């Protein structure tokens, strides 16, 4: 009799707990307050084709080239100092502004010390700092030190896009009802998207600094939740043929996968010619990648691209 009563009370307790969890989960999905300014809501951002570029006059093309400047927000930690040093020595030189944000002081390399151990709180601080010090920069690229980026291809992707519109793009994924851009493959924000994000940081109900009590979302998902409250949605960056430009895997992994899935056309099945990012490479592989992207050229082949994105003045770049 006693055991039956005990089982009954245990069932009541577990049932109540289950209802509480369901209630909390149902209240988690943010509803967006949309208005006329939030009509920018699609899920594929494509780079212009060569035919589209021919429609621009030379003066308009030069104007666009001068306007597309990228601020790189690179999140680092002293325990990954080899990756950090590699990012300093390779692709970050091609950013118009590159700022490294660290979790704790480091005497070896220069960075903004945010003095914050929590990943999401640290990213928030970095984004606020980047916004407050943006100057005339209107595109923002968020990356980990383990990511390799080709900034010129990013500029090509957003060339004709208006940064006063709320763009949030990269490799878009879905988790339940939440669409988000994966952190490993890099995240791009326009000035308008970053402005809305910084504003919603002030609302702890919509965008809590320390996350939720019952579970902890990754930084990229938490970022998507906060942006969604402002009417900004994740969009997939693609080339003119619909191929994704932001890769969470290395070139080696992508080629191996293509050899297995597309043995008759490995190159075409691998990745876009205009890829913006790769991830999962060792520091030495990043150095090799830098050589392949910026130095290796077949003699006798002219590069007749209609765009020329010059590296930042005074930059010690490849």
């Amino acid at each position: 009799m006693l055991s039956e009563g005990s089982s009954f009370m245990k069932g009541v307790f577990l049932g109540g707990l289950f209802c509480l969890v369901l209630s909390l989960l149902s209240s988690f999905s943010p509803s967006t307050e949309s208005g006329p300014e939030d009509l920018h809501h699609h899920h594929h951002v494509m780079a212009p084709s060569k035919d589209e570029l021919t429609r621009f006059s030379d003066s308009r093309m030069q104007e666009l080239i001068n306007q597309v400047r990228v601020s790189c927000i690179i999140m680092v930690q002293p325990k990954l100092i080899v990756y950090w040093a590699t990012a300093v020595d390779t692709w970050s030189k091609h950013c118009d502004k590159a700022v490294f944000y660290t979790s704790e002081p480091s005497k070896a390399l220069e960075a903004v010390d945010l003095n914050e151990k929590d990943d999401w709180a640290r990213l928030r601080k970095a984004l606020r700092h980047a916004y407050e010090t943006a100057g005339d920069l209107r595109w923002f690229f968020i990356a980990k030190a383990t990511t390799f980026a080709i900034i010129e291809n990013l500029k090509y992707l957003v060339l004709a896009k208006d940064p006063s519109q709320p763009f949030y793009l990269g490799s878009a994924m879905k988790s339940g009802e939440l669409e988000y851009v994966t952190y490993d493959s890099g995240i791009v924000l326009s000035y308008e998207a970053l402005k809305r994000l910084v504003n919603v940081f002030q609302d702890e109900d919509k965008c809590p600094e320390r996350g939720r009590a019952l579970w902890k979302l990754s930084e990229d998902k938490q970022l998507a939740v906060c942006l969604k409250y402002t009417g900004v949605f994740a969009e997939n960056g693609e080339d003119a043929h619909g191929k994704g430009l932001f890769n969470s895997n290395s070139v080696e992994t992508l080629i191996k996968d293509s050899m297995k899935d597309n043995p008759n056309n490995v190159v075409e099945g691998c990745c876009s010619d205009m890829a913006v990012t790769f991830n999962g490479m060792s520091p030495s592989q990043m150095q090799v990648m830098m050589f392949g992207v910026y130095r290796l050229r077949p003699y006798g082949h002219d590069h007749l691209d209609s765009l020329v994105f010059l590296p930042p003045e005074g930059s010690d770049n490849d």
Side-chain angles (χ1 to χ4, degrees), residues 176-241:
E177 294 301 311
L178 179 68
E179 291 190 54
Y180 67 100
V181 170
T182 58
Y183 195 1
D184 284 344
S185 53
I187 300 169
V188 180
L189 296 174
S190 65
Y191 184 80
E192 175 62 23
L194 183 57
K195 181 173 77 172
R196 294 190 189 189
L197 181 64
V198 170
N199 287 336
V200 84
F201 282 165
Q202 302 173 41
D203 191 328
E204 273 293 309
D205 291 331
K206 294 179 178 178
C207 186
E209 184 175 3
R210 299 293 168 178
R212 304 282 170 171
L214 291 183
W215 60 87
K216 188 174 180 65
L217 290 177
S218 59
E219 305 102 282
D220 46 15
K221 291 179 182 177
Q222 187 64 63
L223 183 70
V225 169
C226 296
L227 283 169
K228 193 172 182 181
Y229 271 118
T230 71
V232 183
F233 301 89
E235 298 171 301
N236 198 60
E238 302 170 358
D239 66 14
H241 305 290

Side-chain angles (χ1 to χ4, degrees), residues 77-116:
Q77 296 181 47
K79 66 181 181 180
L80 295 174
I81 197 164
V82 178
Y83 280 95
W84 179 356
T86 304
V88 170
D89 191 46
T90 57
W91 65 267
S92 70
K93 296 177 183 179
H94 290 257
C95 303
D96 293 287
K97 178 181 181 181
V99 180
F100 292 80
Y101 294 92
T102 182
S103 56
E104 57 189 88
S106 172
K107 295 180 180 179
L109 296 167
E110 184 178 347
V112 175
D113 176 18
L114 298 175
N115 190 29
E116 176 61 65

Side-chain angles (χ1 to χ4, degrees), residues 253-268:
T253 299
L254 292 169
I255 290 176
K256 284 182 177 178
D257 289 345
S258 186
M259 289 174 67
K260 182 177 61 177
D261 300 333
N262 306 280
N264 296 323
N265 200 344
V266 174
V267 175
E268 185 66 24

Side-chain angles (χ1 to χ4, degrees), residues 235-253:
E235 298 171 301
N236 198 60
E238 302 170 358
D239 66 14
H241 305 290
K243 282 189 178 181
L245 298 174
F246 296 81
N247 300 288
S248 57
N249 291 316
S250 67
V251 177
E252 179 184 12
T253 299

